[in-house]
Amino acid sequence: MSDDHTNQSKTIEPGRFTLTDNKTGKSCELSVIHGTVGPSALDIRKLYSETGMFAYDPGFMSTASCDSQITFIDGEKGILLYRGYPIEELASKSDFMEVCYLLLHGDLPTPEEKAEFEHTITHHTMLHDQLIDFLRGFMRSAHPMAIMVGVVGALSAFYHDSTDISDPRQRMVASHRMIAKMPTIGAYAYKYALGQPFVYPNNELSYSENLLRMMFSVPAEEYQVNPVLAKAMDRILILHADHEQNASTSTVRLAGSSGANPFACVSSGITSLWGPFHGGANEAVIKMLEAIGDKKHIQEFIDRAKNPQDPFRLMGFGHRVYKNYDPRAKILRETCHEVIHELGINNDPLLDIALELEQIALKDDYFIEKKLYPNVDFYSGIILRTIGFPTNMFTVIFALGRTVGWLAHWKEMIGGDDHRIARPRQLYTGDRQRQYIAADSRSRHSISWGGFWGKIRE
Ligand code: SDX
């Protein structure tokens, strides 16, 4: 029985396609699988057995790796739905705890269900004391994402009683523990770098209020959470909570397909998210804006981004799926102005550069033609920096939001009907079989010629 509510709506259209090999005349029939909304999928599961060939799709540009009921994205229309609910509605009317429940269970909670869920999360926020000793083993200069990868992976050593993936109750307990503990781990990583004492979670505060207090308060003085900043934090977490089969979520699914424990799977997701092309982009955006330094240099960077000889890319722009505006970027742009207004910041040079860069890029033919719009990472870094997070904590915040999405997908896969290990194949382009050469008769020449003759012998 799956953990999630099942509104399975998958229909199969047998034999919709006939694939014919024009060289041999052999053909095979392929079915089409229709989901609820969005592109249908060509069922190629029997392709290899019937043709002896693989489908070839590096980067999975045209590949559905699974079916899922969690999140839907329409890249052309800029639509993002969590369990069918538009991200704009959730960002304005819901809160992160409610969105966590929705992603994990498939439906919005009743007031009682939400209260119980929030109580559970609140009472799992503390860390085992020896885990804190483990964290203290890192250098103070360690990147906080390195600490997140290590400490989250180590949770399986401390919470072994929720690693039996065949037990739905343990799957849910492990999920609750990670959602609850991520802010504590992230805040402790930050405090550890500063050499400041850890601030324990306060069960009287909301999830986002707790995060801000653990990050920015010190025992020496009272700390009042700014409600506008807490709301902005909550919205950032909602917007980062899930995004269907992105690189880090696919990593969690792949790791989980082998039966690995959930803590190890989420740690693998954090690792993938760290990359600058993925969740690390928010940190890269700020570094880029700082490198631009002044509006008068913007065009120079845009020209670099357009130059095919220059590997530089405009960080925070472009997306594999969104070929229109990322709906999350629009919401974050508004949140950016709210936070800056609340903190009475009259002019933020980096924000000024970002707004100018966005306007120039959106009018530039290259960006229009390649459909490159600002994505979720373009504004999130500016907001987090304004709230007071250091740049190297931005991807940590992304990971805090995305943890529930990783877990929802992991649970959906493990609790699903056809859970099997993911094991892609490849197109082999290496050496054909060749003879071993004893070390005393090896020279670079003989080894290379041996490879060459190996190719020729075919
Ligand atoms: C996230 O998948 C997700 O859902 C991710 C995410 C999530 O919530 O999980 O949405 C979060 O990762 C957002 C993306 C954050 N990354 C960045 O902002 C880094 C900058 N963006 C690019 O690296 C790029 O746009 C990607 C990685 C986001 C998407 O890459 P794709 O889909 O592989 O697109 P591509 O690299 O094939 O680019 C298509 C063309 C290329 O030109 P040609 O080779 O066709 O001539 O567009 C160009 C690229 O050179 N291009 C850019 C560009 N992004 C793409 N040119 C300049 N600047 C850019 N940012």
Side-chain angles (χ1 to χ4, degrees), residues 307-376:
N307 176 358
Q309 309 311 319
D310 188 330
F312 172 76
R313 288 193 165 183
L314 221 47
M315 290 290 115
F317 274 78
H319 199 277
R320 171 61 59 77
V321 177
Y322 289 124
K323 299 308 173 191
N324 198 318
Y325 218 94
D326 182 336
R328 302 167 297 178
K330 269 185 195 152
I331 299 166
L332 284 173
R333 181 172 349 115
E334 291 154 25
T335 305
C336 205
H337 289 296
E338 285 167 20
V339 167
I340 283 173
H341 175 73
E342 171 64 18
L343 296 180
I345 298 170
N346 297 320
N347 70 321
D348 175 343
L350 243 50
L351 176 63
D352 294 343
I353 294 171
L355 291 170
E356 182 79 3
L357 171 62
E358 180 186 27
Q359 289 314 308
I360 297 173
L362 290 180
K363 295 187 184 94
D364 185 289
D365 291 343
Y366 173 90
F367 288 85
I368 294 168
E369 180 212 316
K370 299 219 185 265
K371 300 184 176 182
L372 302 175
Y373 295 88
N375 57 48
V376 67

Side-chain angles (χ1 to χ4, degrees), residues 126-136 158-159 200:
M126 285 179 66
L127 302 184
H128 190 294
D129 238 23
Q130 282 177 257
L131 189 65
I132 296 174
D133 296 342
F134 175 83
L135 193 153
R136 288 185 184 283
F158 288 83
Y159 301 105
Y200 278 72

